[in-house]
Amino acid sequence: CGQRRGGHVIAHCVCDCGNEKDVMISSLCAGRTKSCGCFRREYVTKKNTTHGMSNTRIYSIWCDMHRRCKDPRNKRFNQYGGRGIAVCDEWKLFQPFYDWATENGYQPTLSIDRIDVDKGYSPNNCRWATSEMQQNNTTRNKIIDFMGKSMTQAQWARETGISQSAIKDRLTKLNWSVEKTLTTPIKERRNGT
């Protein structure tokens, strides 16, 4: 059965994982020894591994979102946390954010975008957007309403073929109406004139 060692009865045991180990019978009977140590290593590894995604792009997006909103040393803090933009309680942990992201169209080519730029990061105010969508959804953009459409200067420039700078100058420097600004074609310059 067991051999005596230092006043204790020792049994030679084979763990479920295949390792062999000498264990005090009193520890086995009391339930203090349940494996060769592999169970403890597995438990500690699981406990210390949160999600295994620390080196992924989506994890970087989550971290950057928190830094912009919480860290006054972050170069973009004034545009985010400094003006009251925060991350919702649900996304304080990565896993709920990851679950939302994968269920709502996350792709490596997209970035997180707040639908209302004056509200924080939350499932009902965020989406995955292209860089063009993001550029059209910033606090710097001026939205122009005309003919039942609301678009940015950049979008109107693409729509009309009139450059953004011409649209801006017509509205701000020349004080033209929106209709005149967006319907008056650019005159071609002739050589020598």
Side-chain angles (χ1 to χ4, degrees):
C1 187
Q3 25 178 313
R4 285 187 133 342
R5 216 184 279 163
H8 299 285
V9 179
I10 305 295
H12 186 74
C13 301
V14 178
C15 182
D16 288 344
C17 72
N19 284 338
E20 296 183 22
K21 186 174 183 171
D22 291 339
V23 181
M24 293 186 300
I25 289 184
S26 61
S27 288
L28 286 172
C29 292
R32 289 188 302 269
T33 300
K34 297 179 180 175
S35 73
C36 68
C38 65
F39 179 74
R40 173 99 177 120
R41 282 189 301 274
E42 186 178 313
Y43 169 78
V44 169
T45 300
K46 277 185 182 175
K47 186 178 178 213
N48 291 331
T49 303
T50 50
H51 45 70
M53 299 192 72
S54 297
N55 294 322
T56 62
R57 181 177 181 271
I58 194 165
Y59 184 73
S60 291
I61 290 170
W62 179 79
C63 289
D64 290 342
M65 174 177 70
H66 281 276
R67 285 186 200 112
R68 288 190 296 271
C69 294
K70 296 178 187 173
D71 184 358
R73 295 169 301 185
N74 185 283
K75 64 183 180 182
R76 299 180 72 198
F77 177 79
N78 288 341
Q79 299 165 289
Y80 291 85
R83 64 180 199 93
I85 302 301
V87 178
C88 69
D89 289 341
E90 184 181 342
W91 287 355
K92 297 233 182 298
L93 296 174
F94 174 70
Q95 191 62 51
F97 173 77
Y98 176 80
D99 293 342
W100 170 85
T102 56
E103 291 167 9
N104 287 278
Y106 170 76
Q107 294 175 23
T109 56
L110 303 176
S111 55
I112 194 159
D113 182 46
R114 286 171 298 118
I115 297 163
D116 183 336
V117 295
D118 293 320
K119 292 183 180 175
Y121 290 97
S122 67
N124 55 354
N125 190 44
C126 288
R127 63 186 172 193
W128 295 104
T130 63
S131 59
E132 181 182 339
M133 286 170 68
Q134 288 241 337
Q135 289 166 5
N136 287 328
N137 189 30
T138 71
T139 54
R140 297 183 312 267
N141 276 335
K142 178 171 174 27
I143 302 296
I144 300 170
D145 296 314
F146 181 63
M147 301 287 289
K149 293 182 183 178
S150 294
M151 298 194 295
T152 65
Q153 286 182 359
Q155 290 170 319
W156 280 114
R158 282 190 293 278
E159 176 101 354
T160 62
I162 301 167
S163 71
Q164 282 188 71
S165 59
I167 292 173
K168 182 180 176 187
D169 288 348
R170 287 174 173 187
L171 290 171
T172 58
K173 292 179 182 173
L174 301 174
N175 291 320
W176 285 13
S177 68
V178 169
E179 181 178 3
K180 185 175 180 181
T181 297
L182 298 177
T183 58
T184 305
I186 298 284
K187 293 181 183 176
E188 289 186 30
R189 295 184 181 197
R190 294 185 185 142
N191 291 335
T193 58

